[in-house]
Amino acid sequence: MPALHEVPRSALRIAPAQPPSREPFPSLTRLSSHWYWETDEAGRLTIVSEGMQRVFGVGPEALLGKRREELATDPHDPGLLEYQRRTARLEPFQDLEYVAAVAAQDTPSHLVISGEPIFERGAFRGYRGIGRDITGERQNARMVADLAAENSALIDNAVDLLAILDEDGRLLRINQSACDALGYTPEELRGRPYDKLVHPDDRPRAAMLGHYLRHGDALVRDMAMRWLRKDGGTVHLSMSLRWLPSQRRVYASARDISASQAIQEELQKSRNRLSALIETMGDAFFAVSRDWRCTYVNRKTVAFVGRPQHTLLGRILWEAVPELLGTESLARFRLAMESGRNSTFEAAHPGSGTWHETRVYPHEDGLSVFFHDITARFMAERAIRESEQRLREVIAMTPSGYLLADRAGRLLDVNPAFCAMSGYGRDELLGRKLGTLLPDCPDEPALFDGDEPGAVHGREGTLRRKDGHGLTVLINANFKEDAGGQATITGFLTDITGRKQDEARLQQLATHDTLTGLPNRVLLNERLQQMLAEAGGSELAVMFIDLDQFKKINDSMGHEPGDKLLCQVALRLRAMLQADSIVARLGGDEFVAVAPCPAGASSAAAIAALLLAALAAPFDLGAQEVFVSASIGVAMYPQDAVTREGLFQNADAAMYRAKASGRNAWCFFEAEMSAETRIRMQIEQALHRALERGEFELHYQPRVDLRSMTVVGMEALIRWNHPQLGRVAPLDFIPIAEEKGLIEDIGAWVLREACLQNGRFLRQFGRSLRVSVNLSARQLRCETLGAQVAAALDAAGLPPHLLELELTESALIEDMDVSARRLGELKASGIRIAVDDFGTGYSALAYLQRFPLDILKLDRSFINQQIDGDGSVNFIKAFIDLAHALNLSVVAEGIETAATLETLRASQCDEGQGYLFSRPLSLPEFQLFLARLPASACVV
């Protein structure tokens, strides 16, 4: 049973709508003159019945996947344009006519289609409909003529009716044909007046007939009247009557012309239909007699020759249209008339330059000629030929390798680029099978599945060169089979060997750390996700490893030794882990290790201890050996988290706990660390809006001259009052602000606020107090620091010598050249420069000579360590003396006891601050503190 043909889903990647009732549908479409079709959303044919294939004379592969625009011979065909308008609006359409053809057709076909849109669950899926071929209707004229001849033969062979009537018109005798025609027996008719059998409407004529016969011409021929049959029916009879006076009889013969009458009526209808068809069909049409006179021309012919119809009819063809003389068309007309054979040809019309397809049909009366304009098709074919020639030239010049092979994969054609890529000459390649050159491809063209047409786009393969080397190539090919079953493979090969090498390098760069060669965060995420997916119930350990004090090593020795250290650390960490583990570098001095732990936490602890031990040995950086330790945070899967993000977060929290516990240690994640992490995240989020919401304030701690015991200044200390978190300690939020890049804005606000308030103190209390403001390392690196300080002093109306800027040792040495230059600019403007928390860092007085410093602030831990230790006051005094020798004033922080105060005074320390004098005071409290000071400003 014939089947509907559908586009393979693998080819078009669409799911065609199914026609209803598939079981009887093929038989219905086979029996009907109509065919069934369906298209997808893009208008491509996805289903066609056999009726459509018979019209075009091709298999389904020539139609499936094509759009009507590809089948239409004229893109401006009104029917096609109406189809495009209707389908664009998703509207049904009916009886749209257009001309279509495929490559295998000799002539185009005139088609009529009707269709409606398909919706599935409210979504548009395409169109379905029916169509039929109306090309055959152009032959209706000849069929109608044959019908007329056949009807005439029926009339000629009709049996006559015979009757004898008396002078009063009574039937005396009738033949059987008359009885049969009227449905009476002879006895029933004999003696009856004939006019009683005539149709009432014809009886007046019948009465006149008798009078005419007796008093006029005695012979009447072929007088048609309607007669009544016994059964009530009517029969049309054509009568001839003769009155014989001598016999007083009327002799009548008649023929039943009912059928002839019906045929004549039908013939007239056929002529009308034929004339309408000829006038409305797409072709121009004319007919000539055997003496070459025009017997019929339709409107299209009249419009084409540009002459009125009456000037053409009856005239000899070449006299009516003189431009035909001497043309190939007239020669073909003469040959058809002489030979009696049909003729179809294409020729250019003289004068207009247009091309026409003409079909000539000779017959006994002359010629019938159909023709239509094929200029567009002719020009398109010529353009195709020219395009094919250009394509051949392009293929010869293209840098991509071109090949043409048969069904068995034997090469039929190659271009020079393919020869160059393969290293073979053209003669060596022709006839060679593809499988010997492309080992990735089977011998048969199974680049494509089955025998259906297919294509390969962007498949990578290896081209085996004549010298044995392989090239990585990108294959684009298609497999096509023509109507005759001949199949070919057409393909292009692009050498992507260099690109693949570049991609491999880019992949390495994208997934590995460029310094250490370890996996980076991208590859770590991918590998960890894979390990989690494959872990099942097995335990894994995720370890965050952060080198302790690496920044100091990097700052003191430079970046190149620091990079060497990181590379050696990477090698040691990788050497300590098994092949099923992974170690990655996230950036800076942060590493991550992931390892299976068959024994759970004990395995993880053993691995962490092994990693710390591996880092304990000294690192040789060429000029010197360096010792480094690390802090490791461990999160276990699945106990601590089951997601990659959760494990990273928990391992990070555990690593910070390890650092807080003294460094050079490892720490497992515990539940309370999540709370610490959440608080840290809350602080981080809140910091972004703290300035905008005015949540910061400054507290002031007085600074005392230890010789006169008078208040000479104060240190401005930032405090944060959050509406939900409450009072947040500076140690909790300042490191986060530095880490997240918020410290510059916060520091700029502190500078402006401290200057403004000190200006108010100067005007309110008349005291020249020096306010000390802390600067971060990021602020020191800022190019606009000098402008910010000048703007703050100007806005406050504060003299520069009443502002002191404090920096930590680590901030100074981060970039010593930039620090020296920036501090020199500030010092030149009259501002005093202090180094804060001295004694907690490198504590090397020698490097301080590089910077334009005024004040050295001793950290409380340094002071308490010396006083409580064996060195007693001698070390402190020696240190202060050395600072004085470098023209540095010394300020002691954290003075809490009278004994400490006496020790510092005895050691000639210049100034001090601490809870012995006053805790940091809020603005109202500090204003009250200043107001209560005696005129001498002595605090003791």
Side-chain angles (χ1 to χ4, degrees), residues 250-484:
V250 175
Y251 291 88
S253 65
R255 288 176 288 114
D256 184 352
I257 62 170
S258 299
S260 176
Q261 186 71 22
I263 290 172
Q264 290 299 324
E265 292 174 359
E266 185 61 32
L267 280 174
Q268 186 58 43
K269 292 178 183 178
S270 297
R271 292 189 188 97
N272 294 339
R273 287 195 299 267
L274 178 59
S275 178
L277 177 63
I278 291 175
E279 291 300 330
T280 58
M281 67 182 179
D283 283 3
F285 170 79
F286 68 89
V288 295
S289 62
R290 297 200 68 83
D291 60 356
W292 296 99
R293 296 188 181 275
C294 296
T295 58
Y296 190 93
V297 291
N298 69 354
R299 285 195 295 268
K300 288 189 180 295
T301 302
V302 169
F304 180 76
V305 299
R307 294 174 174 85
Q309 189 178 48
H310 70 274
T311 65
L312 300 174
L313 292 175
R315 297 187 65 189
I316 295 175
L317 178 62
W318 50 85
E319 293 178 354
V321 186
E323 56 265 30
L324 280 174
L325 287 170
T327 64
E328 179 186 357
S329 297
L330 185 57
R332 294 287 192 115
F333 295 158
R334 292 182 183 277
L335 179 61
M337 185 78 84
E338 294 170 0
S339 66
R341 292 193 296 269
N342 297 344
S343 175
T344 299
F345 60 91
E346 295 177 359
H349 186 267
S352 67
T354 58
W355 281 79
H356 299 87
E357 180 184 77
T358 303
R359 300 185 305 282
V360 185
Y361 300 98
H363 49 79
E364 61 183 8
D365 296 327
L367 296 178
S368 293
V369 180
F370 299 83
F371 64 95
H372 63 273
D373 191 339
I374 61 166
T375 305
R377 192 193 79 192
F378 180 83
M379 299 302 292
E381 290 174 349
R382 185 168 68 181
I384 290 173
R385 290 191 296 271
E386 294 173 353
S387 176
E388 289 175 346
Q389 178 59 33
R390 289 194 298 269
L391 177 61
R392 285 190 290 270
E393 295 171 356
V394 168
I395 287 175
M397 295 185 295
T398 183
S400 296
Y402 163 80
L403 64 89
L404 179 68
D406 62 15
R407 180 188 291 274
R410 287 184 293 268
L411 289 173
L412 304 176
D413 191 17
V414 293
N415 70 343
F418 189 90
C419 297
M421 290 170 61
S422 65
Y424 289 96
R426 176 181 171 83
D427 293 340
E428 295 177 284
L429 288 171
L430 297 184
R432 183 182 290 269
K433 298 197 74 173
L434 274 175
T436 64
L437 300 169
L438 297 169
D440 299 334
C441 302
D443 288 341
E444 294 299 323
L447 292 167
F448 321 94
D449 297 329
D451 296 328
E452 293 297 327
V456 168
H457 298 293
R459 175 179 293 182
E460 293 184 6
T462 301
L463 174 65
R464 183 181 296 154
R465 286 176 48 82
K466 183 177 182 180
D467 58 13
H469 292 91
L471 295 181
T472 303
V473 293
L474 195 67
I475 304 171
N476 290 281
N478 60 24
F479 175 79
K480 289 186 177 180
E481 185 173 325
D482 60 23

Side-chain angles (χ1 to χ4, degrees), residues 716-786:
L717 302 168
I718 189 169
R719 296 293 184 264
W720 182 17
N721 297 311
H722 189 270
Q724 283 80 41
L725 299 175
R727 178 64 64 85
V728 183
L731 288 178
D732 290 334
F733 73 83
I734 288 180
I736 297 176
E738 291 178 339
E739 178 183 335
K740 300 302 177 182
L742 303 174
I743 196 65
E744 291 186 54
D745 292 338
I746 295 174
W749 176 84
V750 171
L751 176 64
R752 292 193 303 272
E753 187 67 17
C755 290
L756 284 171
Q757 197 56 56
N758 197 26
R760 295 188 187 106
F761 293 155
L762 177 62
R763 291 185 290 274
Q764 181 179 359
F765 300 105
R767 295 182 183 274
S768 297
L769 301 177
R770 186 169 60 252
V771 63
S772 180
V773 177
N774 289 280
L775 281 185
S776 68
R778 294 178 68 94
Q779 285 179 279
L780 184 60
R781 294 196 301 270
C782 181
E783 294 288 343
T784 62
L785 176 61

Side-chain angles (χ1 to χ4, degrees), residues 240-255:
S240 295
L241 301 100
R242 182 181 294 274
W243 164 251
L244 295 178
S246 60
Q247 300 180 9
R248 313 297 293 176
R249 294 285 187 269
V250 175
Y251 291 88
S253 65
R255 288 176 288 114

Side-chain angles (χ1 to χ4, degrees), residues 782-833:
C782 181
E783 294 288 343
T784 62
L785 176 61
Q788 292 179 22
V789 172
L793 291 172
D794 185 62
L798 187 69
H801 70 277
L802 294 184
L803 174 63
E804 178 181 300
L805 298 179
E806 294 186 14
L807 299 104
T808 62
E809 294 179 75
S810 59
L812 283 174
I813 66 173
E814 189 166 295
D815 191 328
M816 299 179 74
D817 292 335
V818 171
S819 297
R821 184 175 66 255
R822 198 85 72 236
L823 293 179
E825 295 169 355
L826 293 170
K827 179 71 176 291
S829 68
I831 296 169
R832 293 172 63 83
I833 308 298

Side-chain angles (χ1 to χ4, degrees), residues 620-902:
D620 184 5
L621 301 184
Q624 65 183 97
E625 287 186 342
V626 173
F627 290 85
V628 69
S629 62
S631 298
I632 302 178
V634 184
M636 297 297 296
Y637 168 87
Q639 296 92 325
D640 298 330
V642 295
T643 65
R644 183 185 66 207
E645 294 78 8
L647 290 168
F648 282 168
Q649 181 178 342
N650 293 341
D652 191 40
M655 185 269 292
Y656 278 108
R657 176 65 64 86
K659 280 190 175 295
S661 300
R663 297 185 171 89
N664 195 27
W666 50 268
C667 179
F668 279 100
F669 171 77
E670 297 177 359
E672 63 268 18
M673 296 180 188
S674 294
E676 295 174 2
T677 302
R678 284 195 297 272
I679 292 173
R680 177 181 171 88
M681 291 181 64
Q682 287 179 320
I683 291 174
E684 180 182 328
Q685 294 298 320
L687 266 177
H688 287 277
R689 303 291 296 276
L691 267 179
E692 176 186 333
R693 293 171 176 167
E695 295 172 358
F696 292 123
E697 64 176 344
L698 293 183
H699 284 201
Y700 300 91
Q701 186 173 36
R703 220 163 77 184
V704 177
D705 185 326
L706 296 187
R707 290 183 292 273
S708 65
M709 297 303 293
T710 59
V711 177
V712 295
M714 62 282 187
E715 181 176 3
L717 302 168
I718 189 169
R719 296 293 184 264
W720 182 17
N721 297 311
H722 189 270
Q724 283 80 41
L725 299 175
R727 178 64 64 85
V728 183
L731 288 178
D732 290 334
F733 73 83
I734 288 180
I736 297 176
E738 291 178 339
E739 178 183 335
K740 300 302 177 182
L742 303 174
I743 196 65
E744 291 186 54
D745 292 338
I746 295 174
W749 176 84
V750 171
L751 176 64
R752 292 193 303 272
E753 187 67 17
C755 290
L756 284 171
Q757 197 56 56
N758 197 26
R760 295 188 187 106
F761 293 155
L762 177 62
R763 291 185 290 274
Q764 181 179 359
F765 300 105
R767 295 182 183 274
S768 297
L769 301 177
R770 186 169 60 252
V771 63
S772 180
V773 177
N774 289 280
L775 281 185
S776 68
R778 294 178 68 94
Q779 285 179 279
L780 184 60
R781 294 196 301 270
C782 181
E783 294 288 343
T784 62
L785 176 61
Q788 292 179 22
V789 172
L793 291 172
D794 185 62
L798 187 69
H801 70 277
L802 294 184
L803 174 63
E804 178 181 300
L805 298 179
E806 294 186 14
L807 299 104
T808 62
E809 294 179 75
S810 59
L812 283 174
I813 66 173
E814 189 166 295
D815 191 328
M816 299 179 74
D817 292 335
V818 171
S819 297
R821 184 175 66 255
R822 198 85 72 236
L823 293 179
E825 295 169 355
L826 293 170
K827 179 71 176 291
S829 68
I831 296 169
R832 293 172 63 83
I833 308 298
V835 59
D836 194 15
D837 297 336
F838 190 82
T840 62
Y842 289 91
S843 303
L845 287 173
Y847 80 84
L848 297 179
Q849 291 181 299
R850 294 191 57 182
F851 305 109
L853 303 176
D854 299 295
I855 300 167
L856 191 67
K857 297 188 73 173
L858 298 179
D859 186 77
R860 60 177 296 173
S861 62
F862 179 80
I863 295 171
N864 293 336
Q865 178 183 9
Q866 300 305 324
I867 292 176
D868 296 339
D870 297 334
S872 188
V873 299
N874 294 329
F875 184 83
I876 293 177
K877 187 176 187 311
F879 192 89
I880 292 173
D881 289 343
L882 183 57
H884 287 162
L886 295 174
N887 294 320
L888 297 174
S889 297
V890 179
V891 177
E893 297 181 303
I895 302 175
E896 298 180 357
T897 65
T900 301
L901 174 61
E902 289 306 318

Side-chain angles (χ1 to χ4, degrees), residues 32-302:
S32 174
S33 62
H34 291 72
W35 61 79
Y36 180 82
W37 56 266
E38 283 189 17
T39 63
D40 62 11
E41 300 93 324
R44 295 174 295 191
L45 286 169
T46 58
I47 296 179
V48 293
S49 66
E50 288 187 349
M52 189 170 183
Q53 300 166 37
R54 290 195 297 270
V55 170
F56 290 99
V58 296
E61 63 275 4
L63 300 173
L64 294 177
K66 293 188 178 297
R67 303 175 73 245
R68 295 199 188 279
E69 289 82 353
E70 299 177 60
L71 297 176
T73 60
D74 182 5
H76 303 294
D77 190 311
L80 178 64
L81 297 178
E82 181 61 19
Y83 166 82
Q84 292 171 340
R85 285 191 290 271
R86 292 293 187 91
T87 55
R89 298 193 295 263
L90 304 184
E91 295 178 352
F93 55 87
Q94 187 172 6
D95 296 335
L96 295 184
E97 179 180 346
Y98 73 104
V99 181
V102 295
Q105 279 188 283
D106 293 329
T107 59
S109 299
H110 287 254
L111 310 180
V112 172
I113 59 171
S114 300
E116 62 179 8
I118 305 171
F119 294 89
E120 293 181 4
R121 298 184 181 89
F124 173 66
R125 296 301 185 194
Y127 267 78
R128 65 164 64 96
I130 59 173
R132 66 187 181 91
D133 181 13
I134 62 170
T135 306
E137 293 178 9
R138 294 178 183 146
Q139 300 174 356
N140 285 348
R142 185 166 184 174
M143 294 172 60
V144 171
D146 293 339
L147 177 62
E150 183 179 351
N151 289 339
S152 297
L154 290 173
I155 294 173
D156 293 339
N157 295 323
V159 178
D160 289 344
L161 283 71
L162 302 175
I164 302 174
L165 296 84
D166 64 14
E167 60 182 340
D168 295 325
R170 292 184 179 88
L171 291 169
L172 300 178
R173 293 188 65 180
I174 59 174
N175 68 352
Q176 187 61 42
S177 295
C179 294
D180 292 342
L182 299 176
Y184 292 94
T185 64
E187 291 75 14
E188 291 174 319
L189 292 175
R190 190 174 295 115
R192 293 188 66 173
Y194 82 95
D195 59 350
K196 301 300 183 183
L197 297 174
V198 175
H199 191 281
D201 293 342
D202 290 343
R203 285 173 186 171
R205 287 199 305 130
M208 293 177 60
L209 178 62
H211 178 76
Y212 178 77
L213 286 172
R214 288 192 295 269
H215 303 288
D217 194 345
L219 178 63
V220 175
R221 297 180 182 275
D222 299 326
M223 184 173 185
M225 283 192 295
R226 289 168 292 176
W227 292 65
L228 297 177
R229 286 177 50 82
K230 181 180 179 179
D231 58 11
T234 301
V235 61
H236 290 262
L237 298 179
S238 176
M239 301 185 301
S240 295
L241 301 100
R242 182 181 294 274
W243 164 251
L244 295 178
S246 60
Q247 300 180 9
R248 313 297 293 176
R249 294 285 187 269
V250 175
Y251 291 88
S253 65
R255 288 176 288 114
D256 184 352
I257 62 170
S258 299
S260 176
Q261 186 71 22
I263 290 172
Q264 290 299 324
E265 292 174 359
E266 185 61 32
L267 280 174
Q268 186 58 43
K269 292 178 183 178
S270 297
R271 292 189 188 97
N272 294 339
R273 287 195 299 267
L274 178 59
S275 178
L277 177 63
I278 291 175
E279 291 300 330
T280 58
M281 67 182 179
D283 283 3
F285 170 79
F286 68 89
V288 295
S289 62
R290 297 200 68 83
D291 60 356
W292 296 99
R293 296 188 181 275
C294 296
T295 58
Y296 190 93
V297 291
N298 69 354
R299 285 195 295 268
K300 288 189 180 295
T301 302
V302 169

Side-chain angles (χ1 to χ4, degrees), residues 472-540:
T472 303
V473 293
L474 195 67
I475 304 171
N476 290 281
N478 60 24
F479 175 79
K480 289 186 177 180
E481 185 173 325
D482 60 23
Q486 294 296 320
T488 57
I489 302 172
T490 303
F492 284 90
L493 275 60
T494 304
D495 185 358
I496 59 171
T497 306
R499 192 186 81 186
K500 296 300 290 184
Q501 293 171 349
D502 292 340
E503 287 176 356
R505 286 192 291 269
L506 289 174
Q507 178 68 15
Q508 176 70 18
L509 292 173
T511 58
H512 289 76
D513 177 44
T514 55
L515 176 64
T516 64
L518 292 178
N520 61 11
R521 188 184 298 272
V522 174
L523 185 55
L524 171 65
N525 289 340
E526 180 182 326
R527 291 282 302 278
L528 176 55
Q529 196 65 44
Q530 181 181 357
M531 293 175 74
L532 293 177
E534 297 173 353
S538 302
E539 296 186 60
L540 297 173

